[in-house]
Amino acid sequence: TRLHKTKVLLSDLIPEVAATNSDAELVVAWEAGKKKIELRCLKGVIYVNTKEVTTYELYDDDVIEIGKVKLQFNWIEHQRPFEISSGE
């Protein structure tokens, strides 16, 4: 969001991502008056925190994997909300 855009391709930001067969975009969206950043897979396979995703809301310390490239997403004071385990 420092780029003041609502959408940016990871391959445009990180040359190593452009060399993979995958790409994703970061999208700034507003929901109920709160900013959120989503990762949207455009091609190939993308993982966040070791789970394959197509669209994923990012939080501080999430790890994005695209091919052999690993990225840590940082957003100070935007931790993932606490989720109560259902015991399954």
Side-chain angles (χ1 to χ4, degrees), residues 27-72:
V27 180
V28 176
W30 291 86
E31 188 175 285
K34 292 186 178 186
K35 184 189 325 187
K36 67 179 188 174
I37 298 180
E38 290 183 345
L39 178 76
R40 296 182 184 165
C41 180
L42 299 176
K43 67 177 182 174
V45 179
I46 308 290
Y47 295 89
V48 177
N49 303 326
T50 69
K51 296 178 185 171
E52 186 175 337
V53 300
T54 54
T55 300
Y56 196 85
E57 185 175 354
L58 294 172
Y59 289 92
D60 191 41
D61 288 333
D62 281 344
V63 176
I64 303 163
E65 295 179 61
I66 303 172
K68 294 182 179 182
V69 179
K70 277 190 178 184
L71 308 167
Q72 182 171 340

Side-chain angles (χ1 to χ4, degrees), residues 65-83:
E65 295 179 61
I66 303 172
K68 294 182 179 182
V69 179
K70 277 190 178 184
L71 308 167
Q72 182 171 340
F73 182 79
N74 292 90
W75 186 355
I76 296 171
E77 296 186 21
H78 190 73
Q79 283 70 30
R80 183 172 310 286
F82 178 73
E83 297 175 4

